[in-house]
Each structure stands twice: as C-alpha cells, then as structure tokens.
Amino acid sequence: MVIRGVAADHVALRRNNLSVVLRHVHDLGPRSRARIAEETGLNKATVSSLVAELVERGLLREGSADSSRALGRPGQLVEVDGTGVCGIGAEINVEYLAVVALDLTGNVVHEKRVPADVAHLGPGTTLDRFADLVREAVDAVDARGGRLAGVTLAVPGLVEGETGELKLAPNLGWNDLSVAKEMRARLGEPTYPLQVDNEANLATLAAYAELREHDLVLLTGAVGVGGGVVSGGQLLRGAHGYSGEVGHMPVAPAGQPCGCGRTGCWETVVGLTALLRQATDADDPVRDPELDVERRLAAIVERAEAGDVRTLDALNDVGTWLGIGGAILVNILNPAVLVLGGYFAVLGPWLEAPLAKALRERVLAPDGGGCRVVRSDLGFGAAVRGGAQICLDQVFADPTQLGES
C-alpha cells in the first residue's frame, strides 16, 4: 500500500511539474532548458526530462538557438507548439450562433458567426443548427491533424454549476434544458469533453486573459445584459453557479417589462432592444434580428457620427443607466476595472461620458473607488474565446490528459 502511495505521489508530482514547465514557457515565451530550470527552481535534469516528454506529447517544440548567452555553447530554445492541440468555444445568443477554434498559442484555427432569431426558432431547430456549426469547427481541427482538448458551449442564462443544465434563459424562452445531453446526441456522442457554461462568465474569463487585471467586473450587452466578476484573479460563480445575472437587477420598477417576466430590470434600460426602441422606428431595418448584429451597430455608429439627435439622445440615456447600475456593482465589489464588452464596447465612445458621470455621482468612495472604465477589444467573440480557452486551460493544468501525439 505504501509503495502504491509513493508511486501515485510520484505520478502526481510529475504531472504538476509538466504543468509548471508548459505554463512557464507559454506565459514567458521561448526558453532554454537551463533558463527554465533557473526560473522555476527545478533541477536541470528534471527540466530536460519534462521538456522531452512535452515535446513528445506535441505541446512544446524545439526552437532556435539561444542567442542571449554571451559565453559558451548556446542552448536550444523550446517554445509552445500551437499546431497540435485545439479548444473549441461555441455560443448560442439571442440573435446569433457563433463558434471559434483556438490552438494552444491562442491563434484562430476556425471562426464563424451566423445571424439567428433564436427565440423564434425554438430549442430543437436552434440546437440542430448549433450542432452543424460545432461540427464544422471540429472538422477544421481534424483537417489540420489537430487533437481536440474539448468543446465548451456558452448559453445566455442560468447554468447549474455541477450538472451544466440550463435552468432558465429568459431571453430565449428556454428552461430546464440539458443542452449538453441534447448536443452530445446531435454530435454522435463524441469522445471529446463537452461542457456548458454561462456566456457572460466565459466572456469574463476572456476579458481577464486579455487585461490580466485581478479585480474586474465585465458588463457585456446585446439584447440581454450579463456580467461577470473576477476577484483576486478568480471568477466568482456563486454557490450554484448562478452569479453574474446583473441584467436582472431591478433599477426601474415602474419601467418596461423584461423577458424574465419582471418589470424594470437593468437590461430593459441598457440592453440593445432598449437603445433601438429609443433611437429607431419600429420598421427601421436595424431592428431586424436576421441582420448581423455588427451591421446593425455599424448603422448606429454612422448615425451617431453624423450627429443624429435622436441617436445621440438614446446613447446618452443608455449610458446614464449603464452608470446607475454600474455604480451599484462598483459600490459592492470595488473592482479595479469596469470592462465594457459586447455592444457596449462598440458604442463606447458615446456611452462612456454619461457612464462616467453617473459613476462619479453615485459611487460612495472618492474618485469612483479608483475604478477605471475600459473597452474590451474582443467584441462579440469574447464568450466563444473564453469557452475555447477553458478547454486549453485544462491541458495546461494536466498535460498528460491528451496522451502522446
């Protein structure tokens, strides 16, 4: 029994050391074996053995000679091999379906987004189309001889942490749906890992990777509004995984009805539907959910740049409400950064001034608690990127899970 325990400890230790070396090279760039040993505290013989295994597994590769050495024979650099392993993130949103495949270095292998009026398509048709989109991405990974670390599906609603079941997606009209089970059946019961998560949580993880701020709040907007919190470098999920539903904070009790069945939720005054209701007429083409969301927003940007009064008034109003709700979050969480994602980032040049004004007026701490407002560069690809990255993070955590290449 003791011998087995020692063997198990040895396996766990080696797995951990493989992770340390792989993450180190990924985070800091190409390194010689000697430099890795010096920086990680592992001995040179151990590092050489670990690097050899990671190369054999197709996770590291030999690079150029180390030109930084002034004396002696230059060492060989090793670098992350991004060609062999990929993660896929796929998203169901109210007005589109999207997918991305990233390799181990974060490069895009495959990417696609298609407009879809999901609320009217219903779960069956939507998941059929969604499975086709995921299958395309899997085929793209296979076509380059890659190995798939997993697929993460992003959905706009309450996802139970342990089971991954979608409990409620008010803007889709879906509830108590096992998205993972339904998708596995449509994809032919695949052998690769498949998981489901809230789209705002995944977008928050992508924003964290983008900004490397250990205390941030992400606000991501489309028809619905979601949010995510990173505190001390950790995503806050809550007791059952339901955190981040900031769009349903009650801020205007006498206001508009929300898709969740309540009245005056934050997303009824800051969501894209709220903006379009104020800025456009009912028959305006930018209200058509079959039109790609980026094209719709480009039309709003064009009108704002042209000085259209109705558009500017609507943007000012949404920005003010964004600050009112944002101040609640800043007062509670005191983040270093409030990140604008989704359509908020696209229209940020017009939303930021009224947002900042509301924060100054409503955050108790001096100077808005030191919170900066920044726009994410990830656009509507944040959730799918976060989903793909979760799959790849599992490889960094345990490089042995994929076997040898």
Side-chain angles (χ1 to χ4, degrees):
M1 295 295 290
V2 174
I3 293 175
R4 287 199 200 103
V6 170
D9 288 346
H10 176 75
V11 169
L13 178 61
R14 186 167 182 84
R15 184 185 299 123
N16 177 73
N17 287 342
L18 286 166
S19 173
V20 167
V21 170
L22 182 60
R23 286 186 187 277
H24 192 76
V25 176
H26 174 263
D27 293 344
L28 299 180
R31 282 222 110 57
S32 68
R33 291 163 175 80
R35 190 173 179 188
I36 294 169
E38 180 183 343
E39 293 172 342
T40 62
L42 297 168
N43 69 57
K44 292 181 181 180
T46 298
V47 167
S48 292
S49 174
L50 294 169
V51 167
E53 181 172 341
L54 290 168
V55 169
E56 194 171 327
R57 291 181 181 278
L59 301 175
L60 292 181
R61 64 185 173 200
E62 302 285 354
S64 58
D66 184 4
S67 60
S68 66
R69 292 188 61 177
L71 299 173
R73 183 178 178 182
Q76 191 81 17
L77 297 178
V78 292
E79 60 190 13
V80 173
D81 184 353
T83 60
V85 178
C86 296
I88 291 176
E91 178 186 8
I92 298 173
N93 213 302
V94 180
E95 296 186 335
Y96 62 84
L97 305 174
V99 68
V100 71
L102 301 179
D103 69 18
L104 207 59
T105 59
N107 291 322
V108 175
V109 172
H110 175 84
E111 188 171 23
K112 189 173 184 179
R113 188 180 70 245
V114 294
D117 189 1
V118 172
H120 291 96
L121 287 176
T125 301
T126 297
L127 293 179
D128 287 345
R129 295 186 184 182
F130 197 41
D132 289 340
L133 208 60
V134 171
R135 203 175 289 111
E136 281 185 41
V138 173
D139 289 345
V141 172
D142 289 342
R144 59 182 269 160
R147 291 175 291 160
L148 189 56
V151 174
T152 304
L153 310 176
V155 292
L158 297 176
V159 178
E160 191 170 71
E162 290 187 6
T163 66
E165 182 177 357
L166 177 63
K167 304 302 291 185
L168 177 65
N171 288 315
L172 302 183
W174 298 6
N175 61 280
D176 295 323
L177 180 66
S178 180
V179 175
K181 180 180 179 182
E182 293 285 341
M183 286 294 289
R184 286 192 186 100
R186 285 168 169 79
L187 294 168
E189 301 298 335
T191 56
Y192 52 75
L194 185 148
Q195 58 190 320
V196 181
D197 207 336
N198 172 267
E199 53 90 19
N201 279 340
L202 294 174
T204 301
L205 290 173
Y208 174 60
E210 176 191 22
L211 300 172
R212 288 299 171 187
E213 282 284 356
H214 289 314
D215 293 275
L216 67 80
V217 171
L218 172 77
L219 302 178
T220 180
V223 172
V225 173
V229 179
V230 172
S231 179
Q234 298 295 318
L235 177 70
L236 300 186
R237 292 183 175 274
H240 302 288
Y242 297 154
S243 66
E245 291 296 331
V246 298
H248 299 287
M249 293 191 302
V251 297
Q256 296 288 327
C258 180
C260 71
R262 297 167 180 81
T263 300
C265 293
W266 194 24
E267 70 180 41
T268 67
V269 289
V270 298
L272 182 56
T273 299
L275 174 70
L276 296 178
R277 185 174 60 243
Q278 294 183 69
T280 66
D281 295 326
D283 59 351
D284 194 308
V286 298
R287 291 205 188 187
D288 182 2
E290 292 294 332
L291 186 66
D292 183 71
V293 65
E294 290 191 345
R295 292 178 60 189
R296 300 166 75 190
L297 290 174
I300 296 296
V301 168
E302 184 177 348
R303 296 173 195 184
E305 290 176 339
D308 180 71
V309 174
R310 183 176 178 183
T311 300
L312 293 174
D313 285 347
L315 287 166
N316 184 75
D317 189 61
V318 168
T320 299
W321 277 111
L322 198 56
I324 290 171
I328 296 172
L329 298 173
V330 172
N331 277 324
I332 295 171
L333 299 165
N334 186 34
V337 179
L338 189 65
V339 186
L340 302 183
Y343 104 83
F344 298 140
V346 177
L347 300 181
W350 296 275
L351 298 174
E352 284 177 350
L355 164 60
K357 181 175 183 292
L359 288 177
R360 287 194 303 272
E361 294 172 349
R362 293 172 180 271
V363 172
L364 180 62
D367 192 29
C371 179
R372 307 185 333 267
V373 177
V374 302
R375 276 175 263 158
S376 171
D377 292 329
L378 298 176
F380 290 95
V384 290
R385 283 179 171 271
Q389 192 59 54
I390 275 187
C391 299
L392 296 174
D393 284 346
Q394 292 165 357
V395 177
F396 285 107
D398 179 9
T400 68
Q401 70 173 25
L402 287 173
E404 298 176 1
S405 61

